[in-house]
Amino acid sequence: MKRSMQSIALSAVILAITIGSVLAGTVFETFQPNQQVRGFTVENLYLNARNEAFGARLRHVATGFTMDLFELQSVPQAFLWVSTPVLDDRGEPHAGEHLLLGKGNKARFVSSQENMFLGKSTAYTATDHTVYPFSSEGGNDIFYTLFESQMDALLYPDFSDEEIRREVCHIGVEADPNTGALRLDEKGTVYTEMVSVFEKPWDYLEQAMATMIYGENHPLCKITGGEPAAMREMQPSHMREFHNRYYRLDNIGMITTIPADMVPETFMARTDSILNRLAAAGENRPVIGREKVPPPQSTTPPGTVKMVTYPGAAGSDPGYISMGWPATLSYDNTERFLIQAFLYCLGGSETSNLYNKFINSSTRVVDLGSASVYAGVDDN
């Protein structure tokens, strides 16, 4: 689930960069690194195939908010992200995804506003980010309205402790459909979703592999969606502490695309005003910067093999075999492309080496009972 959604997000960024390569020169060509423009500092420029600037990485001076701004001929849209590395398995990032734009009066107001103004939004939880993409089909000016309302709900939510309990995990009473007898049952939207996930083998295997690669208690080997046993221990105070730590303007950013008739400098000026209002609405928090994920801390020797168990209806249920490399590489975009191409040839398709060795009935050297192979680079 997390992997596929990350791929969609990455594809959206690549689409923006690709289409940007065919655009004519824009106002971004007048920007220079470290220049201050409309409340933002220019940190980097994005160049197309003709070496022309068609976008910029911008940092809001007053709050530290990050914005990647591109010109793209479509409706205004944004990919809001919050850096949310964690050190436990209670699932606060996933719970935040459900609560912040789903519960409380502010979240309900955002939903009503989207319905009126033809806005669209979604949300998902990745390994170290929680993401809230949205777009405006009701006109350019509507984008600013939706952005401010959504950011206000994310930064200053008003959901109750009881809404946290009921959305995450609580004990409820239900009647037996056959006898009518009352019984206690574990409930909660987030909890029920993750119980379903942990009825399958993949998350057990993925967590074991991540622990071997990154080390015990590293944020990248924790279950951001929530592990059912740990979720039972979550208290409203845990959720509020998590929110106060991570949902700060200097720990949030957005990738934004605007059409040509939304002049970048005007867009930046209006966004600057919105961010300043949002900062003034809350307590005076110091700008401390984006939460950093520590480097890998694995002590697992190379070549280690680990057996991972998972609950299944029968002992004959299928399992998975997974092989990984240590997270020790540092590479640029070109090298990343080459790594992906290599892994695709190794095990990414029905013409790959591993498919022919283990699955293709006419070429395999051993029958493992396998039906498919997959290979890829972990974006983390």
Side-chain angles (χ1 to χ4, degrees), residues 79-110:
F79 183 88
L80 270 168
W81 54 262
V82 186
S83 179
T84 52
V86 292
L87 295 176
D88 62 69
D89 292 323
R90 291 190 296 260
E92 287 94 336
H94 189 195
E97 170 204 326
H98 282 249
L99 288 163
L100 290 165
L101 294 183
K103 302 299 177 182
N105 291 330
K106 288 188 177 183
R108 288 185 280 271
F109 174 74
V110 170

PDB file of all heavy atoms in Angstrom, residues 79-110:
ATOM      1  N   PHE A  79       0.778  19.117  -3.515  1.00  0.00           N
ATOM      2  CA  PHE A  79       1.141  17.841  -2.889  1.00  0.00           C
ATOM      3  C   PHE A  79       1.743  18.214  -1.537  1.00  0.00           C
ATOM      4  O   PHE A  79       2.939  18.460  -1.422  1.00  0.00           O
ATOM      5  CB  PHE A  79       2.126  17.112  -3.801  1.00  0.00           C
ATOM      6  CG  PHE A  79       2.548  15.751  -3.343  1.00  0.00           C
ATOM      7  CD1 PHE A  79       1.814  14.634  -3.686  1.00  0.00           C
ATOM      8  CD2 PHE A  79       3.709  15.580  -2.597  1.00  0.00           C
ATOM      9  CE1 PHE A  79       2.220  13.366  -3.282  1.00  0.00           C
ATOM     10  CE2 PHE A  79       4.125  14.330  -2.192  1.00  0.00           C
ATOM     11  CZ  PHE A  79       3.372  13.213  -2.537  1.00  0.00           C
ATOM     12  N   LEU A  80       0.895  18.329  -0.515  1.00  0.00           N
ATOM     13  CA  LEU A  80       1.347  18.715   0.825  1.00  0.00           C
ATOM     14  C   LEU A  80       1.956  17.515   1.534  1.00  0.00           C
ATOM     15  O   LEU A  80       1.377  16.432   1.533  1.00  0.00           O
ATOM     16  CB  LEU A  80       0.162  19.215   1.651  1.00  0.00           C
ATOM     17  CG  LEU A  80      -0.177  20.697   1.617  1.00  0.00           C
ATOM     18  CD1 LEU A  80      -1.537  20.927   2.261  1.00  0.00           C
ATOM     19  CD2 LEU A  80       0.882  21.516   2.328  1.00  0.00           C
ATOM     20  N   TRP A  81       3.126  17.711   2.121  1.00  0.00           N
ATOM     21  CA  TRP A  81       3.758  16.622   2.861  1.00  0.00           C
ATOM     22  C   TRP A  81       4.182  17.100   4.245  1.00  0.00           C
ATOM     23  O   TRP A  81       4.516  18.258   4.453  1.00  0.00           O
ATOM     24  CB  TRP A  81       4.962  16.053   2.109  1.00  0.00           C
ATOM     25  CG  TRP A  81       6.013  17.066   1.702  1.00  0.00           C
ATOM     26  CD1 TRP A  81       6.154  17.652   0.472  1.00  0.00           C
ATOM     27  CD2 TRP A  81       7.049  17.629   2.524  1.00  0.00           C
ATOM     28  NE1 TRP A  81       7.213  18.525   0.482  1.00  0.00           N
ATOM     29  CE2 TRP A  81       7.789  18.531   1.719  1.00  0.00           C
ATOM     30  CE3 TRP A  81       7.433  17.437   3.846  1.00  0.00           C
ATOM     31  CZ2 TRP A  81       8.874  19.255   2.205  1.00  0.00           C
ATOM     32  CZ3 TRP A  81       8.516  18.160   4.338  1.00  0.00           C
ATOM     33  CH2 TRP A  81       9.223  19.066   3.509  1.00  0.00           C
ATOM     34  N   VAL A  82       4.141  16.164   5.192  1.00  0.00           N
ATOM     35  CA  VAL A  82       4.609  16.410   6.553  1.00  0.00           C
ATOM     36  C   VAL A  82       5.644  15.339   6.872  1.00  0.00           C
ATOM     37  O   VAL A  82       5.387  14.144   6.682  1.00  0.00           O
ATOM     38  CB  VAL A  82       3.455  16.326   7.571  1.00  0.00           C
ATOM     39  CG1 VAL A  82       3.947  16.723   8.967  1.00  0.00           C
ATOM     40  CG2 VAL A  82       2.289  17.199   7.146  1.00  0.00           C
ATOM     41  N   SER A  83       6.808  15.745   7.321  1.00  0.00           N
ATOM     42  CA  SER A  83       7.843  14.776   7.683  1.00  0.00           C
ATOM     43  C   SER A  83       7.464  14.146   9.025  1.00  0.00           C
ATOM     44  O   SER A  83       7.385  14.842  10.038  1.00  0.00           O
ATOM     45  CB  SER A  83       9.202  15.469   7.776  1.00  0.00           C
ATOM     46  OG  SER A  83      10.209  14.557   8.155  1.00  0.00           O
ATOM     47  N   THR A  84       7.205  12.819   9.028  1.00  0.00           N
ATOM     48  CA  THR A  84       6.698  12.168  10.239  1.00  0.00           C
ATOM     49  C   THR A  84       7.447  10.878  10.573  1.00  0.00           C
ATOM     50  O   THR A  84       6.860   9.796  10.637  1.00  0.00           O
ATOM     51  CB  THR A  84       5.194  11.861  10.107  1.00  0.00           C
ATOM     52  OG1 THR A  84       4.974  11.138   8.866  1.00  0.00           O
ATOM     53  CG2 THR A  84       4.360  13.119  10.112  1.00  0.00           C
ATOM     54  N   PRO A  85       8.768  10.918  10.782  1.00  0.00           N
ATOM     55  CA  PRO A  85       9.463   9.718  11.280  1.00  0.00           C
ATOM     56  C   PRO A  85       9.056   9.453  12.727  1.00  0.00           C
ATOM     57  O   PRO A  85       8.804  10.387  13.493  1.00  0.00           O
ATOM     58  CB  PRO A  85      10.935  10.106  11.171  1.00  0.00           C
ATOM     59  CG  PRO A  85      10.938  11.602  11.278  1.00  0.00           C
ATOM     60  CD  PRO A  85       9.670  12.070  10.625  1.00  0.00           C
ATOM     61  N   VAL A  86       8.950   8.192  13.108  1.00  0.00           N
ATOM     62  CA  VAL A  86       8.469   7.866  14.461  1.00  0.00           C
ATOM     63  C   VAL A  86       9.337   6.788  15.093  1.00  0.00           C
ATOM     64  O   VAL A  86      10.092   6.098  14.418  1.00  0.00           O
ATOM     65  CB  VAL A  86       7.005   7.388  14.432  1.00  0.00           C
ATOM     66  CG1 VAL A  86       6.079   8.511  14.048  1.00  0.00           C
ATOM     67  CG2 VAL A  86       6.849   6.213  13.474  1.00  0.00           C
ATOM     68  N   LEU A  87       9.188   6.643  16.399  1.00  0.00           N
ATOM     69  CA  LEU A  87       9.982   5.666  17.142  1.00  0.00           C
ATOM     70  C   LEU A  87       9.110   4.647  17.858  1.00  0.00           C
ATOM     71  O   LEU A  87       9.538   4.019  18.822  1.00  0.00           O
ATOM     72  CB  LEU A  87      10.883   6.396  18.151  1.00  0.00           C
ATOM     73  CG  LEU A  87      11.953   7.302  17.543  1.00  0.00           C
ATOM     74  CD1 LEU A  87      12.714   8.051  18.624  1.00  0.00           C
ATOM     75  CD2 LEU A  87      12.919   6.499  16.682  1.00  0.00           C
ATOM     76  N   ASP A  88       7.871   4.482  17.429  1.00  0.00           N
ATOM     77  CA  ASP A  88       7.000   3.479  18.029  1.00  0.00           C
ATOM     78  C   ASP A  88       6.078   2.926  16.953  1.00  0.00           C
ATOM     79  O   ASP A  88       6.089   3.376  15.809  1.00  0.00           O
ATOM     80  CB  ASP A  88       6.189   4.079  19.189  1.00  0.00           C
ATOM     81  CG  ASP A  88       5.273   5.207  18.726  1.00  0.00           C
ATOM     82  OD1 ASP A  88       4.297   4.918  17.998  1.00  0.00           O
ATOM     83  OD2 ASP A  88       5.516   6.377  19.089  1.00  0.00           O
ATOM     84  N   ASP A  89       5.287   1.918  17.332  1.00  0.00           N
ATOM     85  CA  ASP A  89       4.395   1.242  16.379  1.00  0.00           C
ATOM     86  C   ASP A  89       2.928   1.518  16.664  1.00  0.00           C
ATOM     87  O   ASP A  89       2.053   0.780  16.208  1.00  0.00           O
ATOM     88  CB  ASP A  89       4.637  -0.277  16.426  1.00  0.00           C
ATOM     89  CG  ASP A  89       6.010  -0.662  15.892  1.00  0.00           C
ATOM     90  OD1 ASP A  89       6.462  -0.025  14.924  1.00  0.00           O
ATOM     91  OD2 ASP A  89       6.618  -1.598  16.442  1.00  0.00           O
ATOM     92  N   ARG A  90       2.630   2.599  17.406  1.00  0.00           N
ATOM     93  CA  ARG A  90       1.228   2.883  17.725  1.00  0.00           C
ATOM     94  C   ARG A  90       0.450   3.426  16.524  1.00  0.00           C
ATOM     95  O   ARG A  90      -0.768   3.447  16.525  1.00  0.00           O
ATOM     96  CB  ARG A  90       1.136   3.868  18.892  1.00  0.00           C
ATOM     97  CG  ARG A  90       1.586   3.300  20.227  1.00  0.00           C
ATOM     98  CD  ARG A  90       1.251   4.242  21.367  1.00  0.00           C
ATOM     99  NE  ARG A  90       1.975   5.497  21.252  1.00  0.00           N
ATOM    100  CZ  ARG A  90       3.077   5.803  21.939  1.00  0.00           C
ATOM    101  NH1 ARG A  90       3.579   4.919  22.796  1.00  0.00           N
ATOM    102  NH2 ARG A  90       3.677   6.970  21.786  1.00  0.00           N
ATOM    103  N   GLY A  91       1.178   3.928  15.522  1.00  0.00           N
ATOM    104  CA  GLY A  91       0.509   4.371  14.301  1.00  0.00           C
ATOM    105  C   GLY A  91       0.021   5.800  14.316  1.00  0.00           C
ATOM    106  O   GLY A  91      -0.949   6.135  13.619  1.00  0.00           O
ATOM    107  N   GLU A  92       0.674   6.696  15.059  1.00  0.00           N
ATOM    108  CA  GLU A  92       0.238   8.094  15.089  1.00  0.00           C
ATOM    109  C   GLU A  92       0.195   8.751  13.700  1.00  0.00           C
ATOM    110  O   GLU A  92      -0.739   9.508  13.414  1.00  0.00           O
ATOM    111  CB  GLU A  92       1.125   8.920  16.031  1.00  0.00           C
ATOM    112  CG  GLU A  92       0.893   8.657  17.514  1.00  0.00           C
ATOM    113  CD  GLU A  92       1.848   7.615  18.069  1.00  0.00           C
ATOM    114  OE1 GLU A  92       2.359   6.783  17.272  1.00  0.00           O
ATOM    115  OE2 GLU A  92       2.078   7.617  19.296  1.00  0.00           O
ATOM    116  N   PRO A  93       1.192   8.506  12.803  1.00  0.00           N
ATOM    117  CA  PRO A  93       1.089   9.130  11.476  1.00  0.00           C
ATOM    118  C   PRO A  93      -0.184   8.724  10.736  1.00  0.00           C
ATOM    119  O   PRO A  93      -0.862   9.567  10.136  1.00  0.00           O
ATOM    120  CB  PRO A  93       2.340   8.614  10.755  1.00  0.00           C
ATOM    121  CG  PRO A  93       3.303   8.293  11.845  1.00  0.00           C
ATOM    122  CD  PRO A  93       2.466   7.774  12.972  1.00  0.00           C
ATOM    123  N   HIS A  94      -0.520   7.439  10.770  1.00  0.00           N
ATOM    124  CA  HIS A  94      -1.721   6.945  10.102  1.00  0.00           C
ATOM    125  C   HIS A  94      -2.977   7.503  10.753  1.00  0.00           C
ATOM    126  O   HIS A  94      -3.926   7.923  10.073  1.00  0.00           O
ATOM    127  CB  HIS A  94      -1.709   5.416  10.161  1.00  0.00           C
ATOM    128  CG  HIS A  94      -2.768   4.764   9.333  1.00  0.00           C
ATOM    129  ND1 HIS A  94      -3.102   3.445   9.480  1.00  0.00           N
ATOM    130  CD2 HIS A  94      -3.591   5.245   8.363  1.00  0.00           C
ATOM    131  CE1 HIS A  94      -4.062   3.132   8.624  1.00  0.00           C
ATOM    132  NE2 HIS A  94      -4.373   4.212   7.938  1.00  0.00           N
ATOM    133  N   ALA A  95      -2.988   7.543  12.083  1.00  0.00           N
ATOM    134  CA  ALA A  95      -4.141   8.103  12.784  1.00  0.00           C
ATOM    135  C   ALA A  95      -4.320   9.577  12.444  1.00  0.00           C
ATOM    136  O   ALA A  95      -5.452  10.062  12.269  1.00  0.00           O
ATOM    137  CB  ALA A  95      -3.965   7.923  14.290  1.00  0.00           C
ATOM    138  N   GLY A  96      -3.194  10.302  12.325  1.00  0.00           N
ATOM    139  CA  GLY A  96      -3.282  11.709  11.946  1.00  0.00           C
ATOM    140  C   GLY A  96      -3.904  11.892  10.583  1.00  0.00           C
ATOM    141  O   GLY A  96      -4.713  12.812  10.370  1.00  0.00           O
ATOM    142  N   GLU A  97      -3.549  11.030   9.644  1.00  0.00           N
ATOM    143  CA  GLU A  97      -4.143  11.087   8.300  1.00  0.00           C
ATOM    144  C   GLU A  97      -5.669  11.010   8.378  1.00  0.00           C
ATOM    145  O   GLU A  97      -6.377  11.719   7.662  1.00  0.00           O
ATOM    146  CB  GLU A  97      -3.590   9.936   7.466  1.00  0.00           C
ATOM    147  CG  GLU A  97      -4.295   9.731   6.135  1.00  0.00           C
ATOM    148  CD  GLU A  97      -4.141   8.311   5.623  1.00  0.00           C
ATOM    149  OE1 GLU A  97      -3.080   7.695   5.862  1.00  0.00           O
ATOM    150  OE2 GLU A  97      -5.088   7.804   4.998  1.00  0.00           O
ATOM    151  N   HIS A  98      -6.186  10.144   9.258  1.00  0.00           N
ATOM    152  CA  HIS A  98      -7.636   9.974   9.387  1.00  0.00           C
ATOM    153  C   HIS A  98      -8.278  11.122  10.161  1.00  0.00           C
ATOM    154  O   HIS A  98      -9.387  11.562   9.816  1.00  0.00           O
ATOM    155  CB  HIS A  98      -7.937   8.660  10.108  1.00  0.00           C
ATOM    156  CG  HIS A  98      -7.806   7.454   9.250  1.00  0.00           C
ATOM    157  ND1 HIS A  98      -8.881   6.686   8.867  1.00  0.00           N
ATOM    158  CD2 HIS A  98      -6.716   6.874   8.682  1.00  0.00           C
ATOM    159  CE1 HIS A  98      -8.469   5.681   8.108  1.00  0.00           C
ATOM    160  NE2 HIS A  98      -7.150   5.770   7.993  1.00  0.00           N
ATOM    161  N   LEU A  99      -7.609  11.580  11.215  1.00  0.00           N
ATOM    162  CA  LEU A  99      -8.228  12.540  12.123  1.00  0.00           C
ATOM    163  C   LEU A  99      -8.203  13.977  11.614  1.00  0.00           C
ATOM    164  O   LEU A  99      -9.190  14.698  11.707  1.00  0.00           O
ATOM    165  CB  LEU A  99      -7.524  12.481  13.480  1.00  0.00           C
ATOM    166  CG  LEU A  99      -7.780  11.235  14.334  1.00  0.00           C
ATOM    167  CD1 LEU A  99      -6.726  11.126  15.421  1.00  0.00           C
ATOM    168  CD2 LEU A  99      -9.173  11.303  14.940  1.00  0.00           C
ATOM    169  N   LEU A 100      -7.052  14.395  11.076  1.00  0.00           N
ATOM    170  CA  LEU A 100      -6.842  15.820  10.834  1.00  0.00           C
ATOM    171  C   LEU A 100      -7.766  16.393   9.776  1.00  0.00           C
ATOM    172  O   LEU A 100      -8.183  17.553   9.860  1.00  0.00           O
ATOM    173  CB  LEU A 100      -5.376  16.069  10.458  1.00  0.00           C
ATOM    174  CG  LEU A 100      -4.415  15.880  11.630  1.00  0.00           C
ATOM    175  CD1 LEU A 100      -2.982  15.761  11.148  1.00  0.00           C
ATOM    176  CD2 LEU A 100      -4.546  17.039  12.609  1.00  0.00           C
ATOM    177  N   LEU A 101      -8.105  15.616   8.752  1.00  0.00           N
ATOM    178  CA  LEU A 101      -9.041  16.115   7.739  1.00  0.00           C
ATOM    179  C   LEU A 101     -10.334  15.306   7.743  1.00  0.00           C
ATOM    180  O   LEU A 101     -11.081  15.315   6.762  1.00  0.00           O
ATOM    181  CB  LEU A 101      -8.397  16.076   6.344  1.00  0.00           C
ATOM    182  CG  LEU A 101      -7.220  17.031   6.151  1.00  0.00           C
ATOM    183  CD1 LEU A 101      -6.704  16.962   4.727  1.00  0.00           C
ATOM    184  CD2 LEU A 101      -7.612  18.472   6.493  1.00  0.00           C
ATOM    185  N   GLY A 102     -10.589  14.606   8.876  1.00  0.00           N
ATOM    186  CA  GLY A 102     -11.798  13.805   8.958  1.00  0.00           C
ATOM    187  C   GLY A 102     -12.631  14.048  10.198  1.00  0.00           C
ATOM    188  O   GLY A 102     -13.839  13.790  10.193  1.00  0.00           O
ATOM    189  N   LYS A 103     -12.018  14.536  11.273  1.00  0.00           N
ATOM    190  CA  LYS A 103     -12.734  14.697  12.524  1.00  0.00           C
ATOM    191  C   LYS A 103     -12.585  16.125  13.044  1.00  0.00           C
ATOM    192  O   LYS A 103     -11.586  16.791  12.805  1.00  0.00           O
ATOM    193  CB  LYS A 103     -12.227  13.700  13.570  1.00  0.00           C
ATOM    194  CG  LYS A 103     -12.356  12.234  13.146  1.00  0.00           C
ATOM    195  CD  LYS A 103     -13.804  11.837  12.896  1.00  0.00           C
ATOM    196  CE  LYS A 103     -13.911  10.406  12.402  1.00  0.00           C
ATOM    197  NZ  LYS A 103     -15.305  10.019  12.106  1.00  0.00           N
ATOM    198  N   GLY A 104     -13.562  16.557  13.817  1.00  0.00           N
ATOM    199  CA  GLY A 104     -13.561  17.918  14.334  1.00  0.00           C
ATOM    200  C   GLY A 104     -14.290  18.858  13.395  1.00  0.00           C
ATOM    201  O   GLY A 104     -14.483  18.581  12.202  1.00  0.00           O
ATOM    202  N   ASN A 105     -14.687  19.994  13.911  1.00  0.00           N
ATOM    203  CA  ASN A 105     -15.445  20.963  13.111  1.00  0.00           C
ATOM    204  C   ASN A 105     -14.631  21.529  11.956  1.00  0.00           C
ATOM    205  O   ASN A 105     -15.156  21.769  10.869  1.00  0.00           O
ATOM    206  CB  ASN A 105     -15.946  22.101  14.005  1.00  0.00           C
ATOM    207  CG  ASN A 105     -17.028  21.646  14.967  1.00  0.00           C
ATOM    208  OD1 ASN A 105     -17.787  20.720  14.663  1.00  0.00           O
ATOM    209  ND2 ASN A 105     -17.096  22.273  16.138  1.00  0.00           N
ATOM    210  N   LYS A 106     -13.341  21.738  12.172  1.00  0.00           N
ATOM    211  CA  LYS A 106     -12.512  22.302  11.103  1.00  0.00           C
ATOM    212  C   LYS A 106     -12.401  21.326   9.935  1.00  0.00           C
ATOM    213  O   LYS A 106     -12.466  21.725   8.765  1.00  0.00           O
ATOM    214  CB  LYS A 106     -11.122  22.660  11.630  1.00  0.00           C
ATOM    215  CG  LYS A 106     -11.107  23.883  12.530  1.00  0.00           C
ATOM    216  CD  LYS A 106      -9.686  24.308  12.863  1.00  0.00           C
ATOM    217  CE  LYS A 106      -9.680  25.582  13.698  1.00  0.00           C
ATOM    218  NZ  LYS A 106      -8.301  26.057  13.982  1.00  0.00           N
ATOM    219  N   ALA A 107     -12.215  20.053  10.236  1.00  0.00           N
ATOM    220  CA  ALA A 107     -12.115  19.053   9.169  1.00  0.00           C
ATOM    221  C   ALA A 107     -13.426  18.945   8.410  1.00  0.00           C
ATOM    222  O   ALA A 107     -13.438  18.833   7.174  1.00  0.00           O
ATOM    223  CB  ALA A 107     -11.727  17.698   9.754  1.00  0.00           C
ATOM    224  N   ARG A 108     -14.537  18.985   9.120  1.00  0.00           N
ATOM    225  CA  ARG A 108     -15.833  18.919   8.442  1.00  0.00           C
ATOM    226  C   ARG A 108     -16.071  20.157   7.592  1.00  0.00           C
ATOM    227  O   ARG A 108     -16.674  20.083   6.513  1.00  0.00           O
ATOM    228  CB  ARG A 108     -16.943  18.724   9.474  1.00  0.00           C
ATOM    229  CG  ARG A 108     -16.948  17.324  10.083  1.00  0.00           C
ATOM    230  CD  ARG A 108     -18.138  17.111  11.012  1.00  0.00           C
ATOM    231  NE  ARG A 108     -17.894  17.692  12.319  1.00  0.00           N
ATOM    232  CZ  ARG A 108     -17.315  17.036  13.325  1.00  0.00           C
ATOM    233  NH1 ARG A 108     -16.910  15.785  13.163  1.00  0.00           N
ATOM    234  NH2 ARG A 108     -17.143  17.610  14.502  1.00  0.00           N
ATOM    235  N   PHE A 109     -15.572  21.307   8.050  1.00  0.00           N
ATOM    236  CA  PHE A 109     -15.687  22.530   7.254  1.00  0.00           C
ATOM    237  C   PHE A 109     -14.890  22.412   5.955  1.00  0.00           C
ATOM    238  O   PHE A 109     -15.357  22.805   4.881  1.00  0.00           O
ATOM    239  CB  PHE A 109     -15.194  23.731   8.063  1.00  0.00           C
ATOM    240  CG  PHE A 109     -15.141  25.008   7.282  1.00  0.00           C
ATOM    241  CD1 PHE A 109     -16.297  25.696   6.945  1.00  0.00           C
ATOM    242  CD2 PHE A 109     -13.913  25.532   6.860  1.00  0.00           C
ATOM    243  CE1 PHE A 109     -16.243  26.875   6.213  1.00  0.00           C
ATOM    244  CE2 PHE A 109     -13.856  26.699   6.129  1.00  0.00           C
ATOM    245  CZ  PHE A 109     -15.024  27.379   5.800  1.00  0.00           C
ATOM    246  N   VAL A 110     -13.672  21.856   6.035  1.00  0.00           N
ATOM    247  CA  VAL A 110     -12.860  21.657   4.837  1.00  0.00           C
ATOM    248  C   VAL A 110     -13.579  20.759   3.842  1.00  0.00           C
ATOM    249  O   VAL A 110     -13.616  21.031   2.637  1.00  0.00           O
ATOM    250  CB  VAL A 110     -11.484  21.046   5.207  1.00  0.00           C
ATOM    251  CG1 VAL A 110     -10.727  20.618   3.959  1.00  0.00           C
ATOM    252  CG2 VAL A 110     -10.654  22.045   5.996  1.00  0.00           C
TER     253      VAL A 110
END
